[in-house]
Coordinates of all heavy atoms in Angstrom, one line a residue:
L1 N 91.9 139.8 95.3 CA 91.7 140.5 96.5 C 92.9 141.2 97.0 O 94.0 140.7 96.7 CB 91.2 139.5 97.6 CG 89.8 138.8 97.4 CD1 89.6 137.8 98.4 CD2 88.7 139.8 97.4
G2 N 92.8 142.3 97.7 CA 94.0 143.0 98.2 C 94.7 143.7 97.1 O 95.9 143.8 97.1
A3 N 94.0 144.2 96.1 CA 94.6 144.8 94.9 C 95.4 146.1 95.3 O 96.4 146.4 94.6 CB 93.5 145.2 93.9
R4 N 95.0 146.7 96.4 CA 95.7 147.9 96.8 C 96.7 147.6 97.9 O 97.7 148.3 98.0 CB 94.7 149.0 97.3 CG 93.8 149.5 96.2 CD 92.8 150.5 96.8 NE 93.5 151.8 97.2 CZ 92.9 152.7 98.0 NH1 91.7 152.4 98.5 NH2 93.6 153.8 98.3
A5 N 96.3 146.7 98.7 CA 97.3 146.3 99.8 C 96.9 144.9 100.4 O 95.7 144.6 100.6 CB 97.3 147.3 100.9
R6 N 97.9 144.1 100.6 CA 97.8 142.8 101.3 C 98.5 142.9 102.6 O 99.7 143.1 102.6 CB 98.2 141.7 100.4 CG 97.4 141.5 99.1 CD 97.8 140.2 98.3 NE 96.9 140.0 97.2 CZ 97.1 140.3 96.0 NH1 98.3 140.8 95.7 NH2 96.2 140.1 95.0
I7 N 97.8 142.8 103.6 CA 98.4 142.9 105.0 C 98.4 141.5 105.7 O 97.3 140.9 105.7 CB 97.6 143.9 105.9 CG1 97.3 145.2 105.1 CG2 98.2 144.1 107.2 CD1 98.6 146.0 104.8
G8 N 99.5 141.1 106.1 CA 99.6 139.8 106.9 C 99.6 140.1 108.3 O 100.0 141.1 108.8
L9 N 99.0 139.2 109.1 CA 98.8 139.3 110.5 C 99.2 138.0 111.2 O 98.6 137.0 110.8 CB 97.4 139.7 110.9 CG 97.1 139.6 112.4 CD1 97.9 140.6 113.2 CD2 95.6 139.8 112.6
V10 N 100.1 138.0 112.1 CA 100.3 136.9 113.0 C 99.6 137.2 114.3 O 100.0 138.0 115.1 CB 101.9 136.7 113.3 CG1 102.1 135.5 114.3 CG2 102.6 136.4 112.0
A11 N 98.5 136.5 114.5 CA 97.6 136.7 115.7 C 97.9 135.6 116.7 O 98.3 134.5 116.4 CB 96.2 136.7 115.3
L12 N 97.8 135.9 118.0 CA 97.9 134.9 119.0 C 96.8 133.9 118.9 O 95.7 134.2 118.6 CB 97.9 135.6 120.4 CG 98.9 136.7 120.7 CD1 98.9 137.0 122.2 CD2 100.2 136.5 120.1
A13 N 97.2 132.7 119.2 CA 96.2 131.6 119.2 C 95.1 131.8 120.2 O 94.0 131.3 120.0 CB 96.9 130.3 119.5
T14 N 95.4 132.7 121.2 CA 94.4 132.9 122.3 C 93.6 134.2 122.1 O 92.7 134.5 122.9 CB 95.1 133.1 123.6 OG1 96.1 134.1 123.5 CG2 95.8 131.7 124.0
D15 N 93.8 134.9 121.0 CA 93.2 136.2 120.7 C 91.8 136.1 120.0 O 91.8 135.6 118.9 CB 94.1 137.1 119.9 CG 93.7 138.6 120.0 OD1 92.5 138.9 119.8 OD2 94.6 139.4 120.1
Y16 N 90.8 136.6 120.7 CA 89.4 136.5 120.1 C 89.1 137.8 119.3 O 88.1 137.8 118.7 CB 88.4 136.4 121.3 CG 88.3 135.1 122.0 CD1 89.4 134.7 122.8 CD2 87.2 134.3 122.0 CE1 89.3 133.5 123.5 CE2 87.1 133.1 122.7 CZ 88.2 132.7 123.4 OH 88.1 131.6 124.2
T17 N 89.9 138.8 119.4 CA 89.4 140.2 119.1 C 90.1 140.8 117.9 O 89.5 141.5 117.1 CB 89.6 141.1 120.3 OG1 89.1 140.5 121.4 CG2 89.1 142.5 120.0
I18 N 91.4 140.6 117.7 CA 92.2 141.4 116.7 C 91.7 141.3 115.3 O 91.6 142.3 114.6 CB 93.7 141.1 116.9 CG1 94.5 142.0 116.0 CG2 94.0 139.6 116.5 CD1 96.0 142.0 116.3
E19 N 91.4 140.1 114.8 CA 91.0 139.9 113.4 C 89.7 140.7 113.2 O 89.5 141.4 112.2 CB 90.8 138.4 113.1 CG 92.0 137.6 113.0 CD 91.7 136.2 112.8 OE1 91.3 135.8 111.7 OE2 91.8 135.4 113.8
H20 N 88.8 140.6 114.1 CA 87.5 141.3 114.0 C 87.7 142.8 113.9 O 87.1 143.4 113.0 CB 86.6 140.9 115.2 CG 85.3 141.7 115.3 ND1 84.3 141.4 114.5 CD2 84.9 142.7 116.1 CE1 83.3 142.2 114.7 NE2 83.7 143.0 115.7
E21 N 88.5 143.3 114.8 CA 88.6 144.8 114.8 C 89.5 145.3 113.6 O 89.1 146.3 113.0 CB 89.3 145.3 116.1 CG 88.3 145.0 117.3 CD 88.7 145.9 118.5 OE1 89.8 146.3 118.6 OE2 87.7 146.1 119.3
L22 N 90.5 144.6 113.2 CA 91.3 145.0 112.0 C 90.4 144.9 110.7 O 90.5 145.8 109.9 CB 92.6 144.2 111.9 CG 93.8 144.8 112.5 CD1 93.7 145.1 113.9 CD2 95.0 143.9 112.2
N23 N 89.7 143.9 110.6 CA 88.8 143.7 109.4 C 87.8 144.8 109.4 O 87.4 145.3 108.3 CB 88.2 142.3 109.4 CG 89.1 141.3 108.7 OD1 89.6 141.6 107.6 ND2 89.2 140.1 109.2
R24 N 87.3 145.2 110.5 CA 86.3 146.3 110.5 C 86.9 147.6 110.0 O 86.2 148.4 109.3 CB 85.7 146.5 111.9 CG 84.7 145.4 112.3 CD 84.1 145.7 113.6 NE 83.5 147.0 113.6 CZ 83.2 147.7 114.7 NH1 83.6 147.3 115.9 NH2 82.6 148.9 114.6
V25 N 88.1 147.9 110.4 CA 88.8 149.1 109.9 C 89.1 149.0 108.4 O 88.7 149.8 107.6 CB 90.1 149.4 110.6 CG1 90.9 150.5 110.0 CG2 89.9 149.6 112.1
F26 N 89.7 147.8 108.0 CA 90.0 147.7 106.6 C 88.8 147.6 105.6 O 89.0 147.9 104.4 CB 90.9 146.4 106.4 CG 92.2 146.5 107.1 CD1 92.9 145.3 107.5 CD2 92.8 147.7 107.4 CE1 94.1 145.4 108.1 CE2 94.1 147.8 108.0 CZ 94.7 146.6 108.4
A27 N 87.7 147.3 106.2 CA 86.5 147.3 105.3 C 86.1 148.7 104.8 O 85.4 148.8 103.8 CB 85.3 146.7 106.1
H28 N 86.6 149.7 105.4 CA 86.4 151.1 105.0 C 87.3 151.5 103.8 O 87.2 152.6 103.2 CB 86.6 152.1 106.1 CG 85.6 152.0 107.2 ND1 84.3 152.5 107.1 CD2 85.6 151.3 108.4 CE1 83.6 152.3 108.2 NE2 84.4 151.5 109.0
V29 N 88.3 150.6 103.5 CA 89.3 151.0 102.5 C 89.3 149.9 101.4 O 89.9 148.8 101.5 CB 90.7 151.1 103.1 CG1 91.7 151.6 102.1 CG2 90.7 151.9 104.4
P30 N 88.6 150.2 100.3 CA 88.4 149.2 99.2 C 89.8 148.7 98.7 O 90.7 149.5 98.6 CB 87.7 149.9 98.1 CG 86.9 151.0 98.9 CD 87.8 151.4 100.0
G31 N 89.9 147.5 98.5 CA 91.1 146.9 97.9 C 92.2 146.5 98.9 O 93.3 146.1 98.5
V32 N 91.8 146.6 100.2 CA 92.7 146.1 101.2 C 92.2 144.8 101.8 O 91.1 144.6 102.1 CB 92.8 147.2 102.4 CG1 93.7 146.6 103.5 CG2 93.4 148.5 101.8
A33 N 93.1 143.8 101.9 CA 92.8 142.5 102.4 C 93.7 142.1 103.5 O 94.9 142.4 103.5 CB 92.8 141.5 101.3
L34 N 93.2 141.4 104.5 CA 94.0 140.9 105.7 C 94.1 139.4 105.6 O 93.1 138.7 105.4 CB 93.3 141.3 107.0 CG 94.0 140.9 108.3 CD1 95.2 141.7 108.5 CD2 93.0 141.1 109.5
Y35 N 95.3 138.9 105.7 CA 95.6 137.5 105.7 C 96.3 137.1 107.0 O 97.3 137.6 107.4 CB 96.5 137.1 104.5 CG 95.8 137.5 103.2 CD1 96.0 138.7 102.6 CD2 94.9 136.6 102.6 CE1 95.3 139.1 101.4 CE2 94.2 136.9 101.4 CZ 94.5 138.2 100.9 OH 93.8 138.5 99.7
V36 N 95.7 136.0 107.7 CA 96.0 135.8 109.1 C 96.6 134.4 109.3 O 96.2 133.4 108.7 CB 94.8 135.9 109.9 CG1 95.1 135.8 111.4 CG2 94.1 137.3 109.7
S37 N 97.7 134.4 110.1 CA 98.2 133.2 110.6 C 98.1 133.2 112.2 O 98.0 134.3 112.7 CB 99.7 133.0 110.2 OG 100.3 131.9 110.9
R38 N 98.2 132.1 112.8 CA 98.1 132.1 114.3 C 99.5 131.6 114.8 O 100.2 130.8 114.2 CB 97.0 131.2 114.8 CG 95.6 131.8 114.5 CD 95.1 132.6 115.6 NE 93.9 133.3 115.3 CZ 93.1 133.9 116.3 NH1 93.5 133.8 117.5 NH2 92.0 134.5 115.9
I39 N 99.8 132.1 116.0 CA 101.0 131.7 116.7 C 100.7 131.1 118.1 O 99.8 131.6 118.8 CB 102.0 132.8 116.9 CG1 103.4 132.4 117.4 CG2 101.4 134.0 117.7 CD1 104.4 133.4 117.4
G40 N 101.3 130.0 118.4 CA 101.0 129.3 119.7 C 101.3 130.2 120.9 O 102.3 130.9 121.0
M41 N 100.3 130.3 121.8 CA 100.4 131.1 123.0 C 99.6 130.5 124.1 O 98.5 130.1 123.8 CB 100.0 132.5 122.7 CG 99.8 133.4 123.9 SD 101.4 133.7 124.8 CE 100.8 134.7 126.2
D42 N 100.1 130.4 125.3 CA 99.3 130.0 126.5 C 98.2 131.0 126.8 O 98.4 132.2 126.6 CB 100.2 129.8 127.7 CG 101.2 128.6 127.5 OD1 101.1 127.9 126.5 OD2 102.2 128.6 128.2
N43 N 97.2 130.5 127.5 CA 96.1 131.4 127.9 C 96.7 132.4 129.0 O 96.2 133.5 129.0 CB 95.0 130.6 128.5 CG 94.1 130.0 127.4 OD1 94.1 130.5 126.3 ND2 93.3 129.1 127.8
E44 N 97.6 132.0 129.8 CA 98.1 132.8 130.8 C 99.2 133.7 130.2 O 100.2 133.3 129.7 CB 98.7 132.0 132.0 CG 99.1 132.9 133.2 CD 99.6 132.1 134.3 OE1 99.8 130.9 134.2 OE2 99.8 132.7 135.4
V45 N 99.0 135.0 130.4 CA 100.0 136.0 129.9 C 101.0 136.4 131.0 O 100.7 137.0 131.9 CB 99.2 137.3 129.4 CG1 100.2 138.4 128.9 CG2 98.2 137.0 128.4
T46 N 102.2 135.9 130.8 CA 103.3 136.2 131.7 C 104.5 136.6 130.8 O 104.5 136.4 129.6 CB 103.7 134.9 132.5 OG1 104.2 133.9 131.7 CG2 102.5 134.4 133.2
R47 N 105.6 137.0 131.5 CA 106.8 137.4 130.7 C 107.3 136.1 130.0 O 107.8 136.2 128.9 CB 107.8 137.9 131.7 CG 107.6 139.3 132.3 CD 108.7 139.8 133.1 NE 109.7 140.4 132.2 CZ 110.8 139.7 131.8 NH1 111.0 138.5 132.1 NH2 111.7 140.3 130.9
E48 N 107.2 135.0 130.7 CA 107.8 133.8 130.1 C 107.0 133.3 128.9 O 107.5 132.9 127.9 CB 107.8 132.7 131.2 CG 108.8 132.9 132.3 CD 108.4 134.1 133.3 OE1 107.2 134.3 133.4 OE2 109.3 134.7 133.9

């Protein structure tokens, strides 16, 4: 998988959307695969 490109993604633990939308785009390009990790993030989005 990912014979043409392997793309890594660090997604927020709180994000419901990004993987779904990126995979929908990459599905149009054969040989591209997305590999995802999550990063800890509070539900409340503040500067801190």
Side-chain angles (χ1 to χ4, degrees):
L1 295 174
R4 295 178 69 196
R6 293 187 174 101
I7 309 297
L9 168 66
V10 178
L12 304 195
T14 55
D15 194 316
Y16 289 66
T17 308
I18 187 169
E19 289 172 78
H20 173 75
E21 292 199 335
L22 264 58
N23 272 316
R24 286 187 54 205
V25 175
F26 295 154
H28 292 279
V29 189
V32 174
L34 182 69
Y35 298 93
V36 184
S37 174
R38 291 272 174 163
I39 186 170
M41 171 63 184
D42 295 346
N43 282 342
E44 186 177 9
V45 178
T46 67
R47 291 187 80 262
E48 293 72 27

